[in-house]
Every structure is written in C-alpha cells, then in structure tokens.
Amino acid sequence: MSSIVTNGAEDSVLSGTRFVRACLRKPVDRTPVWFLRQAGRYMQEYREVRKHHTLVEICKQPEIAAEVTITAAEKLGVDAAIIFADLLLPLEPMGLDFEFQAGEGPVVHKPVRTAADVLALRTDRAADLGYVARAIEKVAAHFRDRLGIIGFCGAPFTLASYMIEGGGSRNYIETKKLMYTDSIAWNGLLDKIVTVLTEYCRQQVQAGADVIQIFDSWVGALSLADYRDYAFEASKRLVRAVQDMGVPVIYFGVETAGLLTQMAETGADVIGLDWRQPLDEGWRAVGEHHAVQGNLDPITLFAPLEILEQRVKEILCAANGRPGHIFNLGHGIVPGTPVEHVQAVAKMVRDFRLEDVRG
Ligand code: CP3
C-alpha cells in the first residue's frame, strides 16, 4: 500500500484492509471513513424501501437488508459497510416482543421489572437471529475485500436499559432501581444478555463480519462509579469473547468523556468517541494502546461546506496521522441530513493529506 495510489478503483481495492488495519493501529495509506447510521431515513433509496417494508421486515429479509447496506456504502464511498439491523433484534428470541412506533421509537410490550421477569428470559434461541448472518454473507460476497464489513450488537447495559424501561428513557429510573436494589436480578440479566450476544456475534463473524461494533449508546447515563460497579464487567466479558473469535472490537458510547479510560479497560481494540470532546483529548483518555473512531457532530452535516470542511480537518489534524484513527461521526446521522454533505465529508477524508495542511 502506498500514497501513489490515487485512482478511485484501485483505492477501493484496499478499503476493507485499510479499515481493519486502522482498527489494529497498523499504518494505512489514508484515514478510513464510514458513518454511524449510514443507511437510514436521510437517504432517498432507504425511504423507497421503507414504503414497502417495516424496519423489522427489512432486517429479517437478508436480500433486502444486504441491498440497503450495500447501497448506502456505495453511494457514500466509504471504507466499511455496517450491516443493516437493529440493536433490539435479540430481545425477540429472549422472549420480549417489541415494535417501532412511528415517531416514538421502540416500545417493548412487557418490560423486565422483577427477578421473575429476568428468570423467564430465554437464552437458547439465538439461532433465530440467523437472518442477520445470512445478510452479512450476502454483503461479504458482494464486497469481498473491497470494504470492511461491520457486524454489531448492543452492549449489555444499553440492551438491559431498553428491556427494563421498555423504550428510550430520560432518567433511566427503572433501570437504576433494579441495578441498585437487586444485584442478583441485575447480574442475572446481564449474564443472559452476554450469553445471547456472544452467540449472535459468533454467527456474524462466521458469516464474514471483519469487525464487531458494540453500541453502548446510553452508557453516558451512568456515573463512573456506577459504570465500574454495574456495567463494566459484562461489557468486558462480551468484548473479550468477541476478540476470541479473531476479530477486532469497536466499543462506542455517547456522553462518555468521563468514562473513556474505564471503557478502554474492557480491552476493546477501538473506542468510539462522541463529538463533545476534541478527538486528541478523548484519545489521551483512552490511551495509546487503543485505536479511536470519531468524532464529528452529526448535526454539523447541516452546516455550509466550508464550516464542515474546517471541522473535518480539525479532527484529522487532532489525530495527527497516528495509526489507529477511523473517521466517523460522534453519533448517528439524523433524518433530514443532506446526503451530498455526507458524500462530501467522505471525499474530504479520502483526499486529506496531513502534509498539505502543514504546508
Ligand atoms: O446504517 C446503519 O447504521 C443502520 C443500521 C442500524 C439501525 N439501528 C437501523 C435503524 C443500526 C446500527 C442501529 C443501531 C441502533 N438501534 C442503536 C445504536 C446506535 C445509536 O444510535 O446509538 C440504537 C440505540 C437503536 C434502537 C433504535 N432503533 C431507536 C432508538 C430507533 C428509533 C430512532 C428514530 O429516529 O426513530 C430505531 C429505529 C431505526 N433503526 C431506524 C433505523 C434506520 C430508523 C427508523 C426507521 O427506518 O423506521
């Protein structure tokens, strides 16, 4: 791999490798880039598919899930494709029915609230999630080594919070009540989640996922002490179990500035940074033995291109060409985001040369 590769087609031949190499902090010819929620409602092609299928229908039909995944990655010119699925899919085989209500987000019909509810959860039906692995196989067959393929799952705390709150939450009162008052039920719940997710990730890796991203989207609701006492161990176990399958792990959360050092202790290869902190500060907290991913504010994608370019360059300069930076947003793309701006950012990252900025 060398910097003389300028032709777009040749460039893409190396993309998957470039992304995986960056996860492992190996030198790369340029910074790899992809976007959280790169397939979604901001994209016309996705909205067309959604006219005919619900979100869960798309996830459960490998042909459609693969098509949505591939279309988004190709349209944006990114280095990695994240499989189209949802964080909540494992709830169903565990025995919790849920639905996505328009404008409301996910709703779990009978949330977990008691020790008996935890006992009733099943861990023996992870095979029912095989449709995600089938979709990954199709995406892997399409891209081969041209793009990195990312499988994903929720982190134990974030998934537990959905199961207990029954949906999104502002203060996580029910979650924290169970966490503080019934350690047997809380630990039992996290154990069951880790059991199912380990199997789910194994299916995804066997199907061709090059990397697994673990989304701890709501972990920022915890103080450092609570993270350490109630969430860290289960995350660490899941991270290590996935690494034992032979793939790097990206561990991502939001509002995590105070948690980063501890999150890095899970041993995850890459720590995802949200946008609230400069990238170099976040990386310092994470430590040099980990790669980082991030961290443009997704709402900056609504800004004029000059401002967007300035922010993109600031992030790339903060990374300073150190091996182990994957360019991304600090959280997911939101509906209404101009697709051209997402494409422009991907190009800015592809074209960026630190030497040009330094003059
Ligand atoms: O390219 C991609 O990244 C899309 C694949 C993807 C989806 N969900 C599809 C989806 C991924 C990686 C997820 C992960 C996910 N799901 C997370 C973690 C990521 C994060 O943002 O922190 C979370 C918290 C969920 C749970 C979830 N799913 C919520 C809260 C919502 C509602 C959000 C809203 O804006 O309505 C969803 C729905 C969802 N999952 C959509 C998509 C594209 C949008 C709804 C739709 O198409 O009907």
Side-chain angles (χ1 to χ4, degrees), residues 37-39 41 46 50 85-87 100 152 162 217 331:
R37 291 266 175 111
Q38 64 192 21
R41 286 167 295 180
Y46 177 75
R50 276 286 276 118
D86 195 82
L87 206 72
F100 287 97
F152 76 88
Y162 271 111
S217 303
H331 202 177

Side-chain angles (χ1 to χ4, degrees), residues 18-19 21-26 28 30-33 79 270-271 273 279-280 283 290-296 312-329 349 352:
R18 177 186 297 121
F19 167 69
R21 284 178 66 86
C23 290
L24 298 170
R25 288 181 299 119
K26 293 183 179 166
V28 286
R30 66 159 175 80
T31 305
V33 53
D79 296 294
V270 187
I271 301 294
L273 304 175
L279 181 122
D280 44 347
W283 205 341
H290 301 266
V292 295
Q293 177 171 279
N295 68 341
L296 183 73
V312 168
K313 285 188 171 166
E314 278 163 11
I315 290 166
L316 290 164
C317 288
N320 199 24
R322 263 171 74 178
H325 176 223
I326 298 141
F327 191 97
N328 207 310
L329 306 173
V349 179
F352 181 82

Side-chain angles (χ1 to χ4, degrees), residues 34-42 46 50 53-56 58-59 68-69 72 81-89 98 100-106 152-154 158-159 162 167-168 213-218 252-254 330-335:
W34 69 279
F35 300 95
L36 295 171
R37 291 266 175 111
Q38 64 192 21
R41 286 167 295 180
Y42 77 106
Y46 177 75
R50 276 286 276 118
H53 305 279
T54 66
L55 173 65
V56 174
I58 299 173
C59 295
V68 168
T69 306
I82 185 162
I83 190 63
F84 191 89
D86 195 82
L87 206 72
L88 299 180
L89 297 173
F98 66 91
F100 287 97
Q101 292 181 353
E104 302 271 334
F152 76 88
C153 68
T158 291
L159 224 49
Y162 271 111
Q213 173 148 335
I214 299 176
F215 284 92
D216 218 345
S217 303
W218 312 138
F252 166 78
V254 182
H331 202 177
I333 296 175
V334 303

Side-chain angles (χ1 to χ4, degrees), residues 203-281:
Q203 295 163 11
Q204 296 187 52
V205 171
Q206 282 171 352
D210 299 307
V211 172
I212 294 287
Q213 173 148 335
I214 299 176
F215 284 92
D216 218 345
S217 303
W218 312 138
V219 75
L222 294 175
S223 68
L224 176 58
D226 282 345
Y227 176 66
R228 207 192 286 130
D229 290 349
Y230 299 109
F232 168 74
E233 283 297 331
S235 275
K236 179 173 154 183
R237 251 189 297 144
L238 180 61
V239 166
R240 305 282 159 115
V242 175
Q243 287 171 328
D244 285 347
M245 298 167 201
V247 296
V249 171
I250 305 171
Y251 182 36
F252 166 78
V254 182
E255 298 197 63
T256 52
L259 304 179
L260 288 173
T261 306
Q262 187 70 32
M263 287 174 73
E265 293 284 312
T266 58
D269 301 87
V270 187
I271 301 294
L273 304 175
D274 74 41
W275 71 91
R276 292 174 176 84
Q277 208 180 11
L279 181 122
D280 44 347
E281 259 178 46

Side-chain angles (χ1 to χ4, degrees), residues 62-73:
E63 196 70 53
I64 305 176
E67 181 202 311
V68 168
T69 306
I70 292 166
T71 303

Side-chain angles (χ1 to χ4, degrees), residues 25-196:
R25 288 181 299 119
K26 293 183 179 166
V28 286
D29 59 337
R30 66 159 175 80
T31 305
V33 53
W34 69 279
F35 300 95
L36 295 171
R37 291 266 175 111
Q38 64 192 21
R41 286 167 295 180
Y42 77 106
M43 207 176 252
Q44 175 66 33
E45 292 84 346
Y46 177 75
R47 291 198 301 275
E48 282 301 319
V49 176
R50 276 286 276 118
K51 279 185 191 160
H52 311 288
H53 305 279
T54 66
L55 173 65
V56 174
E57 278 169 11
I58 299 173
C59 295
K60 288 189 173 176
Q61 295 183 48
E63 196 70 53
I64 305 176
E67 181 202 311
V68 168
T69 306
I70 292 166
T71 303
E74 289 188 334
K75 187 164 172 148
L76 299 175
V78 286
D79 296 294
I82 185 162
I83 190 63
F84 191 89
D86 195 82
L87 206 72
L88 299 180
L89 297 173
L91 268 59
E92 193 179 78
M94 292 185 77
L96 296 174
D97 287 334
F98 66 91
E99 62 182 312
F100 287 97
Q101 292 181 353
E104 302 271 334
V107 177
V108 179
H109 295 139
K110 290 197 189 111
V112 170
R113 292 287 161 85
T114 65
D117 293 340
V118 174
L119 272 179
L121 292 173
R122 292 182 60 169
T123 58
D124 58 338
R125 294 193 295 199
D128 291 4
L129 296 164
Y131 50 83
V132 175
R134 301 292 80 75
I136 289 178
E137 281 164 5
K138 291 184 189 299
V139 175
H142 178 85
F143 285 126
R144 301 190 177 274
D145 289 335
R146 283 192 296 127
L147 262 73
I149 294 159
I150 306 170
F152 76 88
C153 68
F157 171 80
T158 291
L159 224 49
S161 81
Y162 271 111
M163 291 177 165
I164 296 167
E165 301 294 337
S169 175
R170 199 176 170 78
N171 292 314
Y172 298 89
I173 294 171
E174 296 301 329
T175 306
K176 291 187 181 183
K177 264 164 53 183
L178 188 75
M179 185 175 102
Y180 291 133
T181 60
D182 192 340
S183 61
I184 294 176
W186 175 254
N187 289 326
L189 175 58
L190 296 187
D191 283 351
K192 285 191 163 185
I193 292 172
V194 171
T195 300
V196 172

